[in-house]
Amino acid sequence: MPELPEVEVTRRALLPAAESERVESVVIREFRMRWPVPRDLPQQLTGKRIERLLRRGKYLLWEFGHGTLISHLGMSGAWRLWPSDAVPPPRAHDHVDIVLSRWVLRLTDPRRFGALLWHPASAGPVAEHPLLASLGMEPFDPRFGGSVLHAGTRGRAAPIKQVLLAGHIVVGVGNIYASEALFRAGINPRLPARRLGRARCKRLALAVQQVLGEAIRVGGSTLRDFVSAAGDEGYFMLDAAVYEREGAPCRRCGTTIRRIVQGQRSTYYCPACQRC
Ligand SMILES: [Zn+2]
């Protein structure tokens, strides 16, 4: 499943082609995604200029003067970028093309859990859209750090892994990144969130930024079938410290890495390095 790093890598790949460009046409071959693609999207976008391409959590926000196109990759989506004079015929699952003068941006999504929605400026700031309003802070927001994590975990009895995964304090900490960040910070994933003191919150906030930053740098991917906008196969940290390493020795201390299930998701950790 594409996670925040894949979305950010996609944004950076699309940016030079998309930003400040005018939409010549929009081709929709499949309207049935997680929510129906608006029927009037071609009329909304044709002739309009993409002013900025931003990301909020795992949503790409295509800002036009008169509104924002919100896109999400769901379980299996990817944007591909083709030069207009070399765009191949659409294949199955190539649901939408946004045609610019020099490039075609093509949305592929075999499982169709992704989304493409239009938010008119008249409906208010896009940050207040129901999909965005309750998102936690961006991990690279300068305001994010140990004190945000500390404040957000007070009174929370749920395990820290699940509190991170929920995304209400900070967005982008998907299943792989939660295991990796907790390992780096030396925190047991089962620890009730409220028991984290300031020092551990600071370490964890830093670890979150580090693992996400590294994943973005390697062109991060968690899914084998994720293909980045540039067309390269994505890959996530091949040297994951704990994720999917059940039974293998911890690289720091040699203790056997364990796997547990929390909220139906696998968590990997070192029982020696990660204390409650
Ligand atoms: Zn260890």
Side-chain angles (χ1 to χ4, degrees):
M1 170 156 55
E3 294 285 352
L4 182 146
E6 286 80 5
V7 180
E8 180 59 21
V9 168
T10 298
R11 187 185 75 86
R12 292 179 188 185
L14 296 179
L15 202 59
E19 215 164 58
S20 304
E21 294 295 316
R22 213 168 280 282
V23 174
E24 297 205 332
S25 60
V26 178
V27 180
I28 304 171
R29 300 180 196 89
E30 175 60 86
F31 287 89
R32 294 167 303 168
M33 304 222 6
R34 179 159 182 191
W35 298 284
V37 177
R39 291 271 160 189
D40 67 345
L41 197 60
Q43 291 95 299
Q44 290 289 358
L45 302 186
T46 300
K48 301 295 197 297
R49 203 167 59 89
I50 302 166
E51 295 186 351
R52 292 195 300 171
L53 181 56
L54 306 171
R55 180 190 54 73
R56 179 75 177 98
K58 298 205 290 182
Y59 295 92
L60 281 180
L61 305 178
W62 312 64
E63 278 192 3
F64 291 81
H66 64 313
T68 305
L69 179 66
I70 302 172
S71 73
H72 193 283
L73 296 175
M75 305 286 286
S76 58
W79 283 96
R80 305 262 184 76
L81 191 56
W82 299 99
S84 315
D85 55 2
V87 60
R91 299 176 306 178
H93 316 303
D94 286 347
H95 304 316
V96 178
D97 285 354
I98 295 179
V99 181
L100 311 175
S101 66
R102 287 176 300 151
W103 298 95
V104 173
L105 314 179
R106 177 167 282 175
L107 179 62
T108 300
D109 189 353
R111 299 180 64 182
R112 290 193 281 110
F113 283 109
L116 205 54
L117 297 168
W118 176 247
H119 177 83
S122 59
V126 72
E128 290 168 16
H129 190 280
L131 291 171
L132 307 179
S134 66
L135 295 181
M137 197 175 271
E138 284 292 324
F140 301 111
D141 187 316
R143 293 170 298 174
F144 176 66
S147 49
V148 169
L149 218 44
H150 189 261
T153 49
R154 294 314 88 191
R156 303 290 299 275
I160 182 59
K161 156 90 185 311
Q162 278 155 285
V163 170
L164 283 178
L165 218 54
H168 298 310
I169 304 174
V170 57
V171 295
V173 192
N175 203 43
I176 293 177
Y177 305 105
S179 281
E180 293 294 313
L182 287 164
F183 173 77
R184 267 187 214 207
I187 296 167
N188 191 290
R190 286 180 293 197
L191 183 74
R194 65 183 175 202
R195 283 183 45 202
L196 281 171
R198 289 187 181 277
R200 291 207 284 185
C201 284
K202 192 174 170 185
R203 284 213 307 274
L204 183 55
L206 192 63
V208 162
Q209 290 175 322
Q210 284 174 348
V211 296
L212 292 174
E214 285 169 23
I216 290 168
R217 276 196 292 283
V218 298
S221 174
T222 58
L223 233 212
R224 285 133 196 95
D225 62 356
F226 170 77
V227 177
S228 79
D232 301 312
E233 279 190 44
Y235 53 93
F236 168 72
M237 352 165 120
L238 300 171
D239 60 342
V242 289
Y243 190 78
E244 289 188 337
R245 294 196 66 238
E246 182 185 17
C250 171
R251 292 190 182 131
R252 193 181 287 163
C253 75
T255 302
T256 302
I257 300 296
R258 278 190 202 157
R259 183 180 77 93
I260 54 173
V261 176
Q262 297 179 289
Q264 283 114 45
R265 309 294 302 276
S266 291
T267 302
Y268 299 84
Y269 73 107
C270 170
C273 291
Q274 295 173 258
R275 299 308 189 96
C276 282

